[in-house]
Amino acid sequence: MNTGSNEPVVADSPEGAAGGTKPEKPFGSRAPEFIKARRALHLSWQVGVFIVGLAVVVVGIIMLPLPGPGWVVIFGGMAIWATEFVWAQLVLRWTKRKVTEAAQRALDPKVRRRNIILTTIGLVIVGALAGIYLYKYGFEMPWKINNQ
């Protein structure tokens, strides 16, 4: 569970400080200093963070087929892991970058126009199918309810 070093590692960013982006936080444990100073305490801290993060991720996985915000809970568990583990920090940074790129693509005027056109075409097709159904079968509920 230990990454082999308690020293924070600074990420190399391709954008750099001149790219206009804010500098990223260094990798490594965010445990309090008095915990990092004692190896046994730090190891037990890491085990506790791992177990809590695992429980949150498992609850998120259970929520995927059930009602609930499954993906949000899974990423919450990843954020818990990222407070202590470098691999989780790397996964979260990659995920944030991909989500930001997808949001920028979705806000592109050409993509928005295409999405609006496709949505309109889909609604016209659904409306036409509903009209054909109503013309052929009328507006009758599929179950029989007799007034009593």
Side-chain angles (χ1 to χ4, degrees):
M1 296 218 180
N2 195 354
T3 58
S5 172
N6 292 332
E7 299 297 321
V9 179
V10 179
D12 292 332
S13 175
E15 295 88 14
T21 61
K22 62 181 180 179
E24 295 180 343
K25 294 180 183 175
F27 291 118
S29 175
R30 293 190 179 96
E33 289 302 321
F34 74 92
I35 290 177
K36 286 195 257 184
R38 294 166 183 84
R39 178 135 174 87
L41 190 57
H42 190 232
L43 186 61
S44 59
W45 177 273
Q46 286 181 327
V47 169
V49 167
F50 183 80
I51 290 172
V52 169
L54 183 65
V56 172
V57 168
V58 167
V59 167
I61 290 171
I62 291 171
M63 283 185 187
L64 286 175
L66 299 175
W71 285 109
V72 174
V73 174
I74 289 172
F75 289 126
M78 289 295 296
I80 291 171
W81 279 338
T83 63
E84 196 58 37
F85 302 108
V86 173
W87 61 267
Q89 293 169 1
L90 291 171
V91 169
L92 274 182
R93 284 187 185 177
W94 180 83
T95 304
K96 287 178 185 178
R97 189 171 57 247
K98 291 298 180 184
V99 167
T100 303
E101 290 171 4
Q104 291 300 322
R105 282 194 309 268
L107 293 175
D108 182 28
K110 292 179 183 178
V111 174
R112 288 186 61 175
R113 190 174 19 246
R114 183 197 67 203
N115 289 345
I116 290 172
I117 290 171
L118 289 175
T119 302
T120 305
I121 290 171
L123 288 174
V124 167
I125 290 171
V126 168
L129 291 174
I132 292 170
Y133 177 84
L134 289 174
Y135 177 75
K136 187 169 184 176
Y137 298 107
F139 188 73
E140 185 173 328
M141 294 294 173
W143 56 84
K144 302 288 184 189
I145 299 177
N146 295 330
N147 292 336
Q148 297 186 17

